[in-house]
């Protein structure tokens, strides 16, 4: 009982002090959920300091000890009502129920109880507790991910054990339909074995938008420094991650338009970790929309501001930043790519700088699956025009005069890329370079390329 009593006392102490940061840590389920996720995905806390790992494990152990006491209580709702102050009793009770369900692998129940905790919290939400709103939003997104993984796991297990289930339940098959309603709770505990599919990410996004974001957005306080809108960015950051997960990017645009409207505080006024997440996803959205310069600015900000010990996050930012930098002909150092284990880009960088189209194509082919899985293959493929530009510039440098025979470019391409390439295809490449501003001149059909006498290959990046 001591563990639960200590938890109640700590919550009341933080409530009396209006310590939103401390209370968000006390009510956090993040450590427990990520610990379970990592065990399912066979991931370790890579790139994390030993001290941080110990802190996470200590938090998980504390939660488990407290849960053992909770499971012995006959009426946790009444107990919380008697012990917890300031109308936070429902929040604490639902959180404890969610933890119990989580540790019992009842992810559907854990997800539902956490939503109820959020519903209770938004009723008492004040500006001082904005960190709690962000923490609950984070935990709900992680819980949705965990529950989704478990549904997939259960489907595989159900398929593998289909014959055994049919044999064991043969006598009950005729009664299944009649008993579905009576056994609804059991079915929910087993993550919808009644064949009802729940999209946990969709459910989470609806709750975050209609409850959490609305709780912040509905505040009409004239002084923005005292407005609950200061809590909005943390919720938006979690919504971004869900929308990218479910590939519903148009909803991100609506959130960006709202967050950057005059009725909201400036981005600089929000906590830095939330701003980093926001600008990272804003950068990714700009990549999707072909706004590469804006994407580079957003991603570069996120990378520079991201703490150096957040190796995993910095690597994720670099994954999208490097193609944007390459598009601007800004080349990352080999040591940087090696540090963050992005060696797939090393030959890409070298081939673009040297105009080695053969090396470029080979590298794209070798790492094709990796680049496609990260959603950057087509972006990298578009860089081929810069490789052609750098190759043809070398041809120009070793040729005297302004008229360069088309055959010189054909020979370079045959040597570098493809023996079957012909003059028509070569002229097509040259035309694209001229059209896109990478080359100044004109083509004398099947005879020569006539280059400009001044600066025929403009300096990159092009403005």
């Amino acid at each position: 009982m001591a563990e639960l009593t200590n938890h109640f006392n700590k919550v009341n102490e933080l409530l009396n002090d209006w310590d939103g940061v401390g209370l968000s840590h006390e009510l956090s389920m993040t450590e427990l959920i990520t610990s379970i996720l990592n065990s399912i995905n066979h991931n370790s806390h890579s790139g994390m300091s030993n001290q941080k790992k110990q802190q996470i494990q200590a938090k998980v152990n504390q939660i488990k000890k407290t849960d053992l006491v909770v499971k012995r209580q006959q009426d946790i709702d009444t107990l919380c009502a008697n012990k917890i102050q300031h109308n936070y009793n429902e929040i604490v009770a639902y959180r404890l129920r969610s933890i119990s369900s989580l540790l019992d692998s009842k992810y559907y129940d854990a997800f539902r109880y956490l939503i109820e905790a959020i519903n209770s919290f938004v009723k008492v939400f004040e500006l001082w507790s904005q960190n709690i709103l962000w923490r609950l939003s984070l935990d709900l997104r992680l819980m949705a991910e965990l529950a989704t993984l478990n549904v997939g796991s259960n489907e595989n297990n159900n398929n593998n054990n289909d014959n055994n289930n049919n044999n064991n339940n043969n006598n009950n098959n005729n009664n299944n339909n009649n008993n579905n309603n009576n056994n609804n709770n059991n079915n929910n505990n087993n993550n919808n074995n009644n064949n009802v599919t729940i999209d946990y990410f969709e459910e989470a996004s609806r709750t975050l938008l209609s409850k959490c974001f609305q709780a912040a957005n509905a505040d009409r306080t004239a002084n923005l420094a005292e407005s609950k809108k200061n809590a909005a960015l943390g919720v938006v950051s979690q919504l971004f991650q869900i929308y990218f997960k479910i590939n519903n990017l148009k909803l991100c645009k609506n959130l960006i338009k709202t967050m950057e409207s005059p009725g909201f505080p400036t981005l600089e006024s929000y906590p830095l970790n939330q701003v980093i997440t926001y600008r990272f996803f804003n950068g990714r959205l700009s990549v999707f929309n072909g706004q590469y310069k804006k994407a580079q600015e957003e991603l570069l900000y996120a990378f520079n501001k991201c703490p150096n010990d957040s190796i995993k996050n910095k690597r994720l930012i670099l994954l999208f930043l490097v193609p944007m930098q390459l598009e601007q002909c800004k080349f990352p150092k080999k040591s940087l790519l090696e540090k963050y284990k992005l060696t797939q880009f090393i030959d890409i960088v070298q081939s673009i700088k040297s105009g080695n189209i053969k090396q470029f194509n080979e590298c794209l082919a070798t790492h094709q699956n990796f680049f496609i899985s990260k959603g950057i293959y087509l972006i990298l493929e578009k860089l081929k025009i810069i490789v052609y530009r750098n190759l043809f510039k070398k041809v120009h440098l070793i040729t005297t005069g302004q008229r360069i025979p088309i055959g010189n470019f054909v020979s370079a391409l045959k040597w570098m890329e493809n023996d079957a390439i012909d003059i028509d295809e070569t002229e097509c490449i040259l035309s694209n370079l001229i059209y896109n501003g990478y080359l100044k001149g004109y083509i004398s059909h099947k005879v020569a390329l006539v280059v400009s006498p001044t600066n025929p290959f403009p300096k990159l990046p092009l403005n």
Side-chain angles (χ1 to χ4, degrees):
M1 189 66 183
E3 289 81 6
L4 187 58
T5 301
N6 289 339
H7 174 60
F8 288 159
N9 291 339
K10 185 66 174 178
V11 169
N12 286 328
E13 177 186 340
L14 294 167
L15 281 170
N16 290 329
D17 292 340
W18 288 11
D19 185 352
V21 175
L23 192 54
S24 71
H25 288 301
E26 183 65 23
L27 297 178
S28 170
M29 296 172 58
T30 309
E31 296 84 0
L32 178 61
I33 301 172
T34 52
S35 178
I36 297 173
L37 277 171
N38 287 333
S39 66
I40 292 175
N41 294 325
H42 305 290
N43 291 336
S44 60
H45 298 286
S46 56
M48 188 178 294
S49 66
N50 290 330
Q51 182 181 5
K52 184 66 176 177
K53 291 179 183 178
Q54 291 171 0
Q55 291 174 350
I56 291 175
Q57 190 57 50
K59 175 72 173 182
V60 171
N61 292 339
Q62 176 194 351
I63 289 175
K64 289 180 178 180
K65 288 180 181 179
T66 303
D67 182 62
L68 292 176
V69 180
V70 170
K71 283 183 166 67
R72 294 199 296 267
Q73 306 304 311
Q74 293 183 346
D75 189 352
I76 192 65
D77 295 318
T78 302
L79 182 62
C80 289
N82 293 333
K83 297 291 185 180
I84 301 297
Q85 305 170 7
H86 303 289
N87 297 321
Y88 268 67
N89 56 293
E90 287 187 358
I91 304 166
V92 173
Y94 280 125
R95 172 186 174 272
L96 292 174
R97 289 182 183 279
S98 181
I99 289 172
S100 290
S101 298
L102 191 57
L103 291 173
D104 290 340
S105 299
K106 300 176 181 178
Y107 301 120
Y108 174 86
D109 286 350
F111 183 79
R112 287 298 175 194
Y113 283 133
L114 184 53
I115 287 180
E116 291 302 325
I118 291 174
N119 291 338
S120 298
F121 174 76
V122 295
K123 296 175 185 177
V124 297
F125 168 54
E126 297 292 342
L127 182 57
W128 67 268
S129 60
Q130 61 179 300
N131 282 88
I132 304 173
L133 184 69
W134 169 75
R135 179 66 68 175
L136 288 170
S137 302
L138 170 62
D139 287 346
L140 184 62
R141 177 181 65 80
L142 293 174
M143 188 75 82
E145 182 177 348
L146 177 58
T148 300
L149 284 175
N150 184 67
V151 167
S153 175
N154 278 350
E155 287 175 354
N156 290 334
N157 290 335
N158 288 340
N159 289 335
N160 292 336
N161 296 318
D162 193 38
N163 290 332
N164 290 334
N165 288 337
N166 286 337
N167 291 334
N168 292 334
N169 295 307
N170 187 49
N171 294 330
N172 295 324
N173 281 341
N174 293 330
N175 298 321
N176 276 344
N177 291 332
N178 294 331
N179 291 332
N180 274 344
N181 291 332
N182 295 333
N183 293 322
N184 189 49
N185 290 332
N186 289 333
N187 287 338
N188 287 341
N189 290 343
N190 288 301
N191 294 287
N192 302 313
N193 288 338
N194 57 354
N195 294 327
V196 176
T197 302
I198 292 180
D199 191 326
Y200 288 99
F201 283 117
E202 288 281 1
E203 289 261 334
S205 66
R206 280 195 291 269
T207 298
L208 291 178
L209 189 62
S210 64
K211 298 294 183 179
C212 299
F213 183 73
Q214 187 59 27
N217 187 37
D219 192 353
R220 295 295 179 260
T221 303
N223 185 355
L224 289 179
E226 299 175 358
S227 172
K228 293 179 183 178
K229 290 180 179 179
N230 286 281
L233 191 64
V235 180
V236 168
S237 297
Q238 301 309 313
L239 281 167
F240 274 178
Q241 297 188 58
I242 292 177
Y243 291 155
F244 269 84
K245 192 84 173 179
I246 64 177
N247 198 26
N248 198 344
L249 303 188
K250 64 181 180 181
L251 296 178
C252 293
K253 296 179 183 179
N254 298 335
L255 288 174
I256 291 172
K257 185 177 180 180
T258 302
M259 289 301 303
E260 297 183 1
S261 66
F264 274 75
T266 60
L267 288 179
E268 291 74 18
S269 64
Y270 290 98
L272 181 59
N273 65 324
Q274 296 176 14
V275 176
I276 291 171
T277 303
Y278 176 85
R279 296 195 65 167
F280 166 69
F281 282 102
N282 203 348
R284 286 189 61 184
L285 189 63
S286 297
V287 172
F288 180 79
N289 293 329
Q291 300 170 316
Y292 293 159
K293 189 171 183 180
K294 181 182 178 182
Q296 180 199 355
E297 293 172 356
E298 297 289 337
L299 293 168
L300 190 60
Y301 175 94
F303 181 78
N304 289 335
K305 295 296 183 180
C306 186
N308 290 329
D309 58 354
S310 297
I311 304 296
K312 183 178 179 181
N313 289 338
K314 290 183 81 77
R315 181 182 186 273
L316 183 59
I317 298 170
L318 267 182
L319 192 61
F320 298 95
L321 176 59
V322 168
M324 296 300 98
Q325 295 281 70
L326 292 177
E327 199 273 336
Q328 294 289 310
C329 289
K330 298 177 181 178
F331 303 105
K333 294 181 179 179
K334 182 179 179 181
S335 57
L336 181 71
L337 297 176
E338 289 175 338
K339 177 181 178 180
Y340 291 101
K341 298 180 180 178
L342 290 172
T343 54
Q344 297 90 343
F345 287 106
I346 291 177
D347 287 342
I348 292 284
V349 171
Q350 181 59 36
S351 62
I352 294 175
K353 291 168 70 175
S354 63
N356 191 331
I357 192 66
K358 181 179 181 181
Q359 183 184 28
F360 182 85
N361 288 335
E362 287 176 349
C363 188
L364 273 186
T366 300
H367 304 294
Q368 181 179 13
N369 291 338
F370 173 79
F371 292 140
I372 289 176
S373 68
K374 303 303 179 183
I376 58 175
Y377 180 81
L378 293 179
I379 300 171
L380 292 173
E381 196 174 45
K382 289 179 181 179
L383 299 177
K384 186 181 290 188
I385 192 171
I386 300 177
V387 188
Y388 283 130
R389 179 260 184 198
N390 291 339
L391 172 62
F392 288 175
K393 183 179 180 181
K394 289 184 175 182
V395 174
H396 165 66
L397 291 174
I398 63 176
T399 305
T400 58
Q402 292 177 240
R403 293 176 62 87
I404 307 171
I406 298 296
N408 290 10
F409 298 108
V410 175
S411 298
L413 289 174
K414 284 187 175 182
W415 177 61
M416 275 286 186
E417 186 174 24
N418 187 354
D419 287 336
I421 200 163
D422 58 21
I423 194 168
D424 291 329
E425 189 172 352
T426 303
E427 287 187 354
C428 181
I429 296 171
L430 287 168
S431 298
N432 281 330
L433 288 170
I434 294 171
Y435 176 79
N436 287 285
Y438 290 103
L439 172 61
K440 291 181 180 180
Y442 64 90
I443 299 172
S444 178
H445 183 49
K446 294 190 177 181
V447 177
L449 170 72
V450 182
V451 297
S452 170
T454 58
N455 194 24
F457 289 87
K459 185 178 180 180
L460 299 178
L462 299 176
N463 293 325

